[in-house]
Amino acid sequence: MTTMTEKAKDLVKVDPRDGKLALAHVYVAFVALLIGGLCGLLQTLVRSGQFTLPWGIGYYQLLTVHGVLLALILTTYFIFGFQIAAVSRTAGTLTDKQRLLGWIGFWTMTIGTIAAAVMVLLNKASVLYTFYAPLQAHWIFYVGLALVVVGSWIGGAGQISKYIEWRKTHPGQPSPLLTFMVVVNLAMWIICSLGVAVEVVFQLIPWSLGWVDKVDVLLSRTLFWYFGHPLVYFWLLPAYMVWYVVVPKIIGGKIFSDALARLSFMLFLIFSIPVGFHHQLTEPGIDSFWKFLQVVLTMMVVIPSLLTAFSLFASFEIRGRELGGKGILGWFKKLPWKDARFVVPFIGMAAFIPAGAGGIINASNQMNQVIHNTIWVTGHFHLTLATSVVLTFFGASYWLIPHLTGRVLTKQMNKLAIIQAIVWAVGMSIMSGAMHIVGLMGAPRRSDFSTYGGAAQATDWIPYQVAQAVGGTILFVGIILVLYIVANLLWFAPKGETEFPIGEVSENAEKTPMALENWKIWLTICILLILFAYTVPVIDMIQNAPPGSIGYKLW
Ligand code: HAS
């Protein structure tokens, strides 16, 4: 039974000034979802071979808007909004200075986003979300992206500073789990985004301004992927925060182990960066030994996800049995299947099982030769990012937004949210399933051709491409539904108190060793591993650099 003090603790509110900052980020995230999602729908229609884009809009232009808005803007803004609220809720209200850093970061990112978006819309930067050289965008696009990164550092500094302040005022105590997780995610983000900052500032901006004629393509892609793989964990870790800390509370259970959760986050910090070569396994110019080493490290970064799966199953089973579930699977039925705050992220977790298995296939050198640059990879990241992560973000929005706006999720909206997640799962299974299969049949990614001039092999791909369009259309219905629920929670839902759920650690869990919060140890291992995995191959790339490439604008 919940006591009065527990009830009061559950209703600890995020300070309204911090809430406003968090909400500003959430607004941008959902605007990005609307525009980016619409572009996604149009793309699948074009790929089906049955539809031509009107008004001279280019396929790659559309694909760039889709990728940049959904993979970079929706994610970064939602994550920052969520993290600000999480730090404020668990480590205490931000100081004026920390909040100011948050606002400066927000506006720097937003100016950068607008600058980059304008260039894409003017068709001056149709270089896709990975902006691979030698495709060359307008310099303002690169400056815009640089501002997004710099803004995230400034906003992130506000959150980290709260954590440092908390530790100073609570010596010898482990920090609140959620704040700790936020700081691990930011540490990883700052270390990895240094790579893309170097690429953009020292290579792409001077080249696009015409100060230098040529760019070293291999080096630029290496710097990009040094950033690009930890980027996917920067998306994933906030979903893991919800899975580890929030979901146990929603189901009425406990966090299985605080120490295990912290260990898995620290393993992400050390292993997620020195693995970028698994995106470059087919790239000439990198010695196979270094590719092998980074593939081994990639298999290491799978371990914290396996720990997470174990911990989640444990939390679910313990709770289900407490509620009287019997036999091998009886506990499963006892989980709260009518609560959208649980069901929506749960569908995300379930999707992560095949999604993660796909990642392990990608990382295996020989199998990577089969799937690289095929639309299988697009299928992979629509399961990982666009299902596991995004559904978890939707599920979190259903308590985070009303918590911040002082409203409640009504019964009807709760039902609609579950329907939304089912629609999403059906649409994504069709679309991503078709992408995986047709990818194995050789269909390329990043291509607006559908029939390839009537080539026999491409004819076999058409039915799958039609299936992608069907799935994409269902997903667009899912986007309309989630936007409807979000609009309701922002402006129309009844006023009331909504809990920001924070789980408590099980009384049977072992005490958390303080070594898990010893940053000197973990950052040293992290930096040593990065130096080990990258120093020799990067020196080799620079010393034996191929002739650089001029810029191409192929759109
Ligand atoms: Fe990946 C390409 C390898 C995870 C995103 N990945 C991409 C790209 C993106 C992306 C965007 O090695 C394309 C980049 C581009 O544009 O070129 N990926 C991996 C590996 C993992 C992995 C080894 N990826 C992710 C996540 C992403 C993401 C997470 C976004 C959020 N990926 C690759 C490789 C490539 C790649 C290669 C390059 C391919 C190429 O050649 O271009 C691992 O981290 C996956 C580990 C996950 C698991 C699953 C654990 C399961 C859990 C759920 C438990 C469920 C429960 C519920 C408890 C081992 C935690 C119970 C449910 C019931 C039904 C009972």
Side-chain angles (χ1 to χ4, degrees), residues 203-346:
Q203 289 193 288
L204 303 182
I205 293 180
W207 175 61
S208 59
L209 279 166
W211 296 345
V212 292
D213 300 336
K214 297 196 173 158
V215 70
D216 181 338
V217 172
L218 178 58
L219 185 62
S220 77
R221 289 186 187 183
T222 302
L223 287 168
F224 181 85
W225 285 118
Y226 164 89
F227 155 79
H229 197 74
L231 168 70
V232 314
Y233 296 120
F234 171 71
W235 303 329
L236 180 70
L237 292 193
Y240 275 16
M241 295 177 204
V242 174
W243 297 359
Y244 270 114
V245 180
V246 174
V247 168
K249 171 79 183 178
I250 291 172
I251 63 173
K254 294 271 164 76
I255 299 169
F256 174 68
S257 157
D258 177 278
L260 186 144
R262 285 181 205 250
L263 175 67
S264 107
F265 268 61
M266 280 308 195
L267 292 178
F268 273 115
L269 175 68
I270 61 175
F271 289 124
S272 67
I273 305 173
V275 297
F277 284 170
H278 72 223
H279 291 263
Q280 296 176 279
L281 291 174
T282 58
E283 191 111 51
I286 304 171
D287 189 87
S288 53
F289 171 77
W290 299 107
K291 290 181 180 169
F292 169 75
L293 179 87
Q294 294 210 11
V295 162
V296 172
L297 291 172
T298 305
M299 296 304 166
M300 299 297 286
V301 80
V302 170
I303 293 172
S305 283
L306 296 176
L307 293 179
T308 305
F310 170 78
S311 171
L312 294 170
F313 271 114
S315 287
F316 294 158
E317 181 175 351
I318 291 169
R319 179 61 184 152
R321 291 200 187 280
E322 268 171 17
L323 292 173
K326 299 264 178 300
I328 298 180
L329 287 177
W331 53 270
F332 191 70
K333 290 195 215 134
K334 298 281 178 189
L335 297 172
W337 294 110
K338 290 193 174 141
D339 187 339
R341 299 171 310 156
F342 164 69
V343 176
V344 179
F346 182 88

